[in-house]
Every structure is written in structure tokens, then in C-alpha cells.
Amino acid sequence: MANKRTLKKNIHVIADSLFANCIAVSLYGNDHHPDNTDALLRAVVKLEDNYIRRVSHPEPKMKACEYFKDLIEKFNADASDLIDQING
């Protein structure tokens, strides 16, 4: 990990991509469920907000390297879940 700024930027880029994909699927996909789309968009915004906050305020009892490695793994898992929901 280079620094916090780079990590925040990467989280923001991934969240933007998820948001755009969700909008595209809702506009151009076969199934159109506005409630489902709204829920997915809110989930993407919450995901970004949650992980940006966690980058800014790390756990004081954990080593920084371990904390950020765990944070990245959890973010990747949560983002993968959202991708599956968007595509499903």
C-alpha cells in the first residue's frame, strides 16, 4: 500500500464504477425494478462512505499493515457481493 490518499482514491474509483454500472443496468437491462435499483445505489454509497471513514480512522490496537490488509480484503469482498447483486 502506497499511502492513505491512494487507497481512498482507489475506493472512490471502484465505487464510482459500481454506481455507473448499476445505473446502466437499470436503464438498459431487461428487468427494471426501481426499488431494487435504489437499494443498490444506496448500498454503493454506504460502501464507499464506510470504507473511506475506515481508512481515515484506523483501529488503534492493530498494526497498520495488518489493518489495511484486512480492510482491503473486506472491501474487495463487499464490492464483489455488490457486483453479483448488480449483475443478478
Side-chain angles (χ1 to χ4, degrees), residues 12-22 86:
H12 184 68
V13 166
I14 292 169
D16 282 349
S17 177
L18 288 172
F19 197 87
N21 286 337
C22 188
I86 291 170

Side-chain angles (χ1 to χ4, degrees), residues 7-25 40-49 51-52 75 79 82-83 86:
L7 183 57
K8 286 180 181 181
K9 192 179 291 185
N10 290 339
I11 290 171
H12 184 68
V13 166
I14 292 169
D16 282 349
S17 177
L18 288 172
F19 197 87
N21 286 337
C22 188
I23 296 274
V25 167
L40 285 173
L41 292 174
R42 287 186 184 139
V44 170
V45 171
K46 285 182 182 180
L47 175 82
E48 180 183 14
D49 185 52
Y51 282 96
I52 294 292
F75 177 77
L82 278 175
I83 290 169
I86 291 170

Side-chain angles (χ1 to χ4, degrees), residues 5 7 12 16 27-28 34-35 38 47 55 58 75 80 83-84:
R5 183 178 344 134
L7 183 57
H12 184 68
D16 282 349
L27 292 175
Y28 303 114
D35 295 334
D38 290 344
L47 175 82
V55 168
F75 177 77
S80 294
I83 290 169
D84 292 340

Side-chain angles (χ1 to χ4, degrees), residues 27-85:
L27 292 175
Y28 303 114
N30 294 336
D31 299 333
H32 182 66
H33 301 285
D35 295 334
N36 189 23
T37 302
D38 290 344
L40 285 173
L41 292 174
R42 287 186 184 139
V44 170
V45 171
K46 285 182 182 180
L47 175 82
E48 180 183 14
D49 185 52
N50 180 28
Y51 282 96
I52 294 292
R53 287 176 192 247
R54 289 177 62 186
V55 168
S56 298
H57 303 289
E59 292 287 328
K61 296 177 183 174
M62 291 180 73
K63 291 183 181 180
C65 181
E66 293 174 6
Y67 177 76
F68 287 111
K69 184 177 180 180
D70 182 56
L71 181 94
I72 291 168
E73 289 174 1
K74 288 181 180 177
F75 177 77
N76 289 337
D78 289 346
S80 294
D81 289 343
L82 278 175
I83 290 169
D84 292 340
Q85 290 177 4

